[in-house]
């Protein structure tokens, strides 16, 4: 295996879990949303406001396409990244794709406390519920789906590591139920 890619809906913990997972595996860590922000010199919320979502998606695609990784890396992506077919293809080539899964209730509760996500601003409940359903088929194309509901970051990292190991041995389903 080369790299580990983390996907999943907004607020499932991709960045927090990714950072700790990288530490545990001795891998580097990169967050593609942060790369987009660094390159643009503005936050994603500002980018949505000033340039619009279409421009954000364009930049997101470019960042994924241009990723240059010289050492094994854990890559945390944005919630919409893996939904795009070109991104999906590229991310799958980079290594094992892990989708973190938590309940919609937990997601709604977390995004409600954070203004940094433009797609979750205001009275977003209905929009997010629809988006969650619409994106499920794309997320299910990940190599491994890991349920992290109720887990601490450390527990989630342990489960993700175990699931990746099982996937690489070809028996991921056995661990997923544990
Ligand atoms: C988005 C999720 C965000 C960020 C952008 C769009 C999405 O990342 O990429 O606001 O389309 O779901 P997180 O999943 O880290 O919140």
């Amino acid at each position: 295996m080369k790299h580990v890619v983390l996907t999943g809906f907004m607020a499932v913990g991709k960045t927090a879990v990714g950072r700790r997972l990288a530490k545990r595996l001795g891998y580097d860590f990169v967050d593609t949303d942060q790369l987009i922000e660094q390159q643009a010199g503005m936050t994603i919320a500002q980018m949505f406001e000033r340039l619009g979502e279409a421009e954000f998606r364009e930049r997101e695609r470019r960042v994924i396409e241009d990723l240059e990784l010289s050492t094994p890396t854990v890559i945390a992506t944005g919630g919409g990244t893996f939904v795009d077919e070109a991104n999906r293809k590229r991310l799958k080539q980079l290594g094992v794709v892990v989708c973190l899964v938590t309940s919609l209730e937990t997601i709604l509760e977390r995004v409600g406390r954070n203004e940094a996500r433009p797609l979750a601003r205001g009275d977003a409940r209905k929009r997010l519920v629809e988006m969650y359903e619409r994106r499920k088929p794309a997320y299910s194309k990940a190599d491994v789906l890991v349920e992290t509901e109720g887990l601490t970051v450390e527990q989630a990292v342990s489960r993700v590591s175990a699931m990746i190991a099982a996937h690489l041995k070809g028996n991921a389903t056995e661990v997923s139920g544990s």
Side-chain angles (χ1 to χ4, degrees):
M1 176 193 36
K2 273 171 71 189
H3 309 290
V4 174
V5 177
L6 291 184
T7 182
F9 205 73
M10 274 173 251
V12 292
K14 299 180 290 291
T15 302
V17 171
R19 211 181 282 283
R20 293 297 306 168
L21 179 67
K23 207 163 244 174
R24 195 177 293 190
L25 297 174
Y27 280 23
D28 283 332
F29 174 73
V30 40
D31 181 310
T32 57
D33 276 344
Q34 279 171 14
L35 288 182
I36 295 167
E37 291 185 331
Q38 279 162 13
Q39 286 176 9
M42 65 180 103
T43 65
I44 284 171
Q46 287 167 338
M47 192 178 296
F48 269 68
E49 273 164 32
R50 295 177 194 170
L51 309 175
E53 180 173 352
E55 177 62 24
F56 166 75
R57 295 297 172 199
E58 192 56 45
R59 292 178 186 226
E60 183 177 51
R61 225 169 278 132
R62 217 173 309 141
V63 158
I64 298 298
E65 202 177 302
D66 294 346
L67 270 180
E68 275 188 27
L69 309 166
S70 51
T71 50
T73 303
V74 174
I75 306 154
T77 61
T81 317
F82 197 66
V83 177
D84 176 89
E85 200 182 337
N87 291 342
R88 213 158 49 226
K89 196 163 165 233
R90 166 91 171 116
L91 291 168
K92 283 242 178 190
Q93 283 165 353
L94 287 174
V96 57
V97 179
V98 178
C99 180
L100 303 183
V101 183
T102 59
S103 72
L104 191 51
E105 279 316 309
T106 298
I107 287 167
L108 290 171
E109 202 256 317
R110 286 186 191 157
V111 297
R113 288 190 259 120
N114 187 337
E115 277 293 293
R117 293 185 173 90
L119 294 176
R121 281 191 167 162
D123 186 13
R125 190 182 174 93
K126 186 162 173 278
R127 207 168 351 118
L128 290 173
V129 172
E130 284 168 6
M131 197 186 290
Y132 188 84
E133 289 305 320
R134 203 168 54 239
R135 288 180 172 183
K136 258 190 197 165
Y139 293 141
S140 71
K141 293 182 177 148
D143 298 307
V144 184
L145 278 91
V146 184
E147 170 74 52
T148 60
E149 184 75 27
L151 301 186
T152 64
V153 172
E154 287 303 324
Q155 289 168 335
V157 168
S158 297
R159 183 173 288 185
V160 169
S161 309
M163 294 279 291
I164 290 173
H167 170 75
L168 295 175
K169 278 195 215 141
N171 62 347
T173 45
E174 276 177 31
V175 183
S176 66
S178 68

